[in-house]
Amino acid sequence: MNTAKDEDDFWYSSETRSFCFESEVDQLRSDKLWTGILNASSSESGLQSTADFQTTKPLLSIISDRTLSRILDADNKPEKAHPKAEIKHPELAVVQPDITLRQILLGQSYSLERYKSLASKTALLDAAILNGDGNAILIIILFLTKTLKRSLVQRLLTERPDAVNVYIHYLFIRLHSSEITDILTMLGHSSTAAMKNLHIIIKNTKDPNRLMQKLQNCYKALFTMLPDCKETTFLESYIKLLEWQMAIKQKKNDEELPLNSSVLESLRYACKHHCNTPKDFVTMSPTVLSRDHDISPRLYQKVALQVKAACGGWDDIDRLLLTKGLLGNTKLQTQLYTEDILKVLYKYNAPHAVLEKYLKFIDNLEKRLELAKKLSCHTIVIDIFVQQGDRAILMDYKAKLQPQSEGYFYAESALRLPHIKWKS
């Protein structure tokens, strides 16, 4: 009975027991091991007191020493990443875009390597655009170009005009004309792409022959498809101008007109050296140049007048501006104002006879008198006073002239004219 009662007490007791297949030596060693585990557990958890742990049975009564050693070794090893968790929750491994953007703006160290998915990269770009900082936007775009396919980058940019503007400016500085063309053409801005390419070519090509070749290629590839674009006409004219200048260079090898000079500089050169060119050089004449580049007659006459006046070519100026009427009288045939012609002539010290010739074409008597006084054309002034019959004013004017001068004698002669009816 006692035996049966002892067995019942064993099985129904709340005290936990287990079989131990270790030797007595192992049992002693386990007691020492338990002491170490107990001390470590007490210092780490703080949830149970040492006394509470001491009421339990030794750990090695449940598991073997070898198994426990493996568990402890595993706990002491550094934690490994859990790739499944990362795949399931990629946002846990990605720095928030606003934090990364703040680091960029403050000049702090930052890393974009953790932005691996297209969604995270898009969010980062949108955060930079929302902030409006061009440098940050460019940094993100360059990161995208290195980590995404070109087609994906272009698709992202087409939906974000602000990013396009920043990136196009960057490409323009780096002279990446082909990529500029691809992006802008995809956005439907073919004319802008053509102009960007043209600007890059003109600004960065110094050799005239190379420049001519690039311009012709640019025209064929981009501008022939844009007949309504006003820059197409400009490029056609520009190519013609370079061809004209290169022809001048081959004929005369003249350093006075550098290649790639402007139309006005070319016109000045032509007016100075090729106004009376022979027939075999007719393409070099200023009239042909003006026709090819739509230079207005007024602008042509203005440039030619300045060039001829600077050279003292008064006869050439007469041929340029004067013509014969039906009755054989001389007429002024120009779109220039007579006052402007006189200013140019006076600036380059034209003789008084030349100034007086053109003063006579001013119909308004008062205006002619005013200009004649400013230009010191005394003959014209005296003639007007005689025409007005104002003897007193003529005498006052004579008193202001230098005695024994040509104007002084002319005034005296006018005062003695017998057929003039003076007012006083």
Side-chain angles (χ1 to χ4, degrees):
M1 292 295 294
N2 293 335
T3 304
K5 185 177 184 301
D6 292 340
E7 289 179 355
D8 292 339
D9 291 340
F10 175 83
W11 290 112
Y12 292 103
S13 171
S14 61
E15 182 176 326
T16 305
R17 297 175 183 271
S18 63
F19 288 102
C20 181
F21 298 99
E22 305 293 336
S23 63
E24 294 295 331
V25 177
D26 292 334
Q27 182 67 36
L28 292 174
R29 186 173 59 187
S30 67
D31 292 340
K32 294 180 181 179
L33 180 60
W34 162 247
T35 303
I37 295 172
L38 181 64
N39 292 337
S41 300
S42 299
S43 61
E44 290 179 1
S45 65
L47 298 177
Q48 293 178 323
S49 64
T50 306
D52 295 333
F53 282 106
Q54 288 176 345
T55 59
T56 63
K57 290 297 181 180
L59 184 62
L60 291 180
S61 64
I62 302 174
I63 61 176
S64 67
D65 185 13
R66 181 181 299 175
T67 302
L68 179 61
S69 297
R70 291 178 178 176
I71 293 173
L72 294 175
D73 290 340
D75 289 339
N76 290 330
K77 291 181 180 179
E79 295 185 0
K80 294 183 179 180
H82 300 283
K84 291 183 179 180
E86 289 184 359
I87 295 173
K88 187 175 181 180
H89 302 287
E91 66 274 10
L92 298 178
V94 178
V95 180
Q96 294 181 358
D98 56 343
I99 295 177
T100 303
L101 187 61
R102 184 169 67 245
Q103 293 171 340
I104 294 174
L105 296 176
L106 296 177
Q108 299 174 351
S109 59
Y110 62 90
S111 175
L112 304 180
E113 294 179 358
R114 304 186 75 177
Y115 291 87
K116 298 184 181 299
S117 67
L118 178 61
S120 64
K121 294 173 182 178
T122 304
L124 183 60
L125 176 60
D126 288 336
I129 294 173
L130 183 63
N131 180 269
D133 184 82
N135 290 333
I137 294 173
L138 181 59
I139 289 172
I140 307 305
I141 293 175
L142 295 179
F143 168 67
L144 298 182
T145 59
K146 294 178 181 178
T147 57
L148 293 176
K149 291 182 179 179
R150 187 174 181 181
S151 58
L152 279 177
V153 175
Q154 292 181 351
R155 190 185 74 186
L156 290 175
L157 292 178
T158 54
E159 300 169 354
R160 295 162 177 82
D162 292 337
V164 170
N165 293 335
V166 172
Y167 192 45
I168 289 297
H169 181 69
Y170 167 80
L171 295 175
F172 183 77
I173 294 175
R174 296 296 187 279
L175 309 182
H176 295 170
S177 56
S178 60
E179 193 166 357
I180 290 175
T181 303
D182 292 343
I183 294 175
L184 291 178
T185 302
M186 184 172 57
L187 290 172
H189 301 312
S190 299
S191 60
T192 305
M195 282 305 300
K196 289 286 186 183
N197 276 267
L198 181 60
H199 192 176
I200 290 175
I201 291 172
I202 294 174
K203 188 176 180 181
N204 299 280
T205 309
K206 304 301 180 184
D207 181 71
N209 295 318
R210 182 73 172 159
L211 176 61
M212 175 68 75
Q213 181 182 2
K214 287 185 176 182
L215 289 175
Q216 290 173 340
N217 292 338
C218 181
Y219 177 78
K220 294 176 182 177
L222 300 175
F223 283 91
T224 52
M225 298 180 293
L226 303 169
D228 297 331
C229 179
K230 62 180 181 180
E231 284 78 11
T232 302
T233 305
F234 161 78
L235 182 54
E236 291 172 347
S237 177
Y238 189 26
I239 293 174
K240 285 182 181 179
L241 179 63
L242 280 178
E243 291 173 344
W244 185 87
Q245 292 173 353
M246 294 176 76
I248 293 287
K249 197 76 172 176
Q250 291 175 356
K251 293 289 184 181
K252 299 187 66 175
N253 195 22
D254 194 346
E255 298 295 334
E256 186 178 344
L257 180 67
L259 289 173
N260 209 20
S261 298
S262 68
V263 174
L264 286 181
E265 290 172 338
S266 301
L267 181 58
R268 290 190 185 98
Y269 178 88
C271 290
K272 183 177 180 180
H273 298 285
H274 299 286
C275 271
N276 301 310
T277 54
K279 292 182 179 180
D280 54 338
F281 288 95
V282 68
T283 55
M284 300 181 184
S285 70
T287 53
V288 173
L289 183 66
S290 299
R291 182 197 64 198
D292 290 344
H293 297 281
D294 295 326
I295 298 174
S296 66
R298 186 174 185 276
L299 180 56
Y300 165 68
Q301 288 186 340
K302 182 179 179 180
V303 173
L305 172 64
Q306 292 173 340
V307 171
K308 295 303 180 182
C311 299
W314 315 121
D315 293 337
D316 291 334
I317 292 175
D318 289 345
R319 283 191 290 268
L320 176 70
L321 303 178
L322 301 180
T323 184
K324 290 290 185 179
L326 294 176
L327 301 178
N329 58 323
T330 302
K331 296 174 59 177
L332 183 64
Q333 188 175 18
T334 179
Q335 296 183 5
L336 299 175
Y337 293 112
T338 309
E339 294 88 336
D340 294 336
I341 295 173
L342 288 166
K343 288 178 182 177
V344 173
L345 295 175
Y346 183 75
K347 177 182 177 181
Y348 290 102
N349 302 315
H352 281 86
V354 176
L355 294 174
E356 291 168 1
K357 182 191 303 182
Y358 288 92
L359 272 169
K360 293 178 181 179
F361 291 108
I362 297 179
D363 297 327
N364 187 289
L365 204 60
E366 295 298 328
K367 201 168 189 177
R368 189 194 308 173
L369 177 62
E370 181 183 356
L371 280 173
K373 287 181 179 180
K374 288 181 179 179
L375 301 177
S376 299
C377 292
H378 304 303
T379 302
I380 298 295
V381 173
I382 294 168
D383 287 342
I384 292 174
F385 288 153
V386 171
Q387 187 177 350
Q388 292 176 341
D390 199 332
R391 184 182 182 89
I393 293 180
L394 179 55
M395 293 181 66
D396 291 339
Y397 187 76
K398 172 193 169 187
K400 297 175 183 178
L401 299 176
Q402 184 178 357
Q404 312 304 316
S405 64
E406 184 179 351
Y408 184 86
F409 288 126
Y410 190 79
E412 275 193 342
S413 299
L415 287 170
R416 291 196 296 265
L417 290 174
H419 60 277
I420 302 299
K421 295 181 179 180
W422 301 103
K423 294 179 181 179
S424 56

